[in-house]
Amino acid sequence: MRKLIVSEFISLDGVIQSPGGPEEDTSGDFRLGGWIVPYADEAGGRDLHELLLQPFDLLLGRRTYDIFASYWPQVPTDSGAHAIADPFNRATKYVATHRADDLDWKNSQALEGHLSDAVSGLKRQGGKTLLTFGSGEMVRQLLAAGLVDELRLLIHPLLLGRGKRLFGDDASPSAFTLAHSITTPGGVLINRYVRDGEVRTGTFDQGG
């Protein structure tokens, strides 16, 4: 069975909306798009490059797919971003969408049927790791279904106050182990959490 890894830019108050630019997602009158840009540095770039070294397929929600598809195929071969664009363009893209007829990015295909069933089927196939970036609405459904094996959270030192959040009340209770953590020069915490079974509870001994 292959793993599903979810990588997210996230604020201290859990917001993941429109991290990369002002026009990514303005729904709900969100006006702080592009909030990760002042924190971008070589440390974050290295972490992403290391993640992309493994064989992978992409699993994306429709909004994130459209953002990626409008950018990565157009990256010039002499650009520094080509080291990311090349594996993204080669990868198979599985897309959660109701509009399967306009997936023009090479190697793209729509998921069929109910999302959790489709992703469970992909995981059972074995093979390359499934990588998800952004895709907040889809990820919330996958967390509710207990299908996420690893969370890579790039926690930025700011409060956004409003916006779409990663975690909802319907997430399946799950324990995770902090497998790796680094801090960038700009103060971004890059934490890798690996699924570790069920939530364990207890009580503090208040005896004498």
Side-chain angles (χ1 to χ4, degrees), residues 151 153 155 175-182 189-196:
L151 287 165
L153 302 183
I155 305 170
F176 285 80
T177 294
L178 178 61
H180 183 69
S181 180
I182 64 170
L189 283 174
I190 304 178
N191 291 341
R192 176 179 166 230
Y193 297 96
V194 178
R195 189 178 178 90
D196 187 26

Side-chain angles (χ1 to χ4, degrees), residues 143-199:
L143 287 168
L147 291 172
V148 176
D149 300 295
E150 184 174 315
L151 287 165
R152 288 178 176 247
L153 302 183
L154 287 78
I155 305 170
H156 287 64
L158 75 173
L159 300 173
L160 296 175
R162 62 182 301 180
K164 296 177 182 176
R165 286 171 164 78
L166 178 60
F167 301 108
D169 291 341
D170 58 348
S172 175
S174 308
F176 285 80
T177 294
L178 178 61
H180 183 69
S181 180
I182 64 170
T183 306
T184 72
V188 177
L189 283 174
I190 304 178
N191 291 341
R192 176 179 166 230
Y193 297 96
V194 178
R195 189 178 178 90
D196 187 26
E198 303 301 319
V199 174

Side-chain angles (χ1 to χ4, degrees), residues 81-154:
H82 200 262
I84 300 172
D86 197 36
F88 273 9
N89 290 327
R90 285 198 310 265
T92 298
K93 273 74 71 173
Y94 298 103
V95 189
T97 181
H98 298 296
R99 294 179 285 119
D101 57 345
D102 59 349
L103 300 178
D104 298 327
W105 192 8
K106 184 179 179 181
N107 302 323
S108 298
Q109 62 185 77
L111 295 175
E112 297 182 359
H114 192 275
L115 176 65
S116 61
D117 293 337
V119 174
S120 293
L122 285 177
K123 293 183 67 175
R124 286 195 300 270
Q125 288 176 5
K128 298 177 182 177
T129 295
L130 295 168
L131 289 185
T132 293
F133 298 90
S135 310
E137 183 177 344
M138 182 189 76
V139 169
R140 282 186 287 274
Q141 294 181 58
L142 297 178
L143 287 168
L147 291 172
V148 176
D149 300 295
E150 184 174 315
L151 287 165
R152 288 178 176 247
L153 302 183
L154 287 78

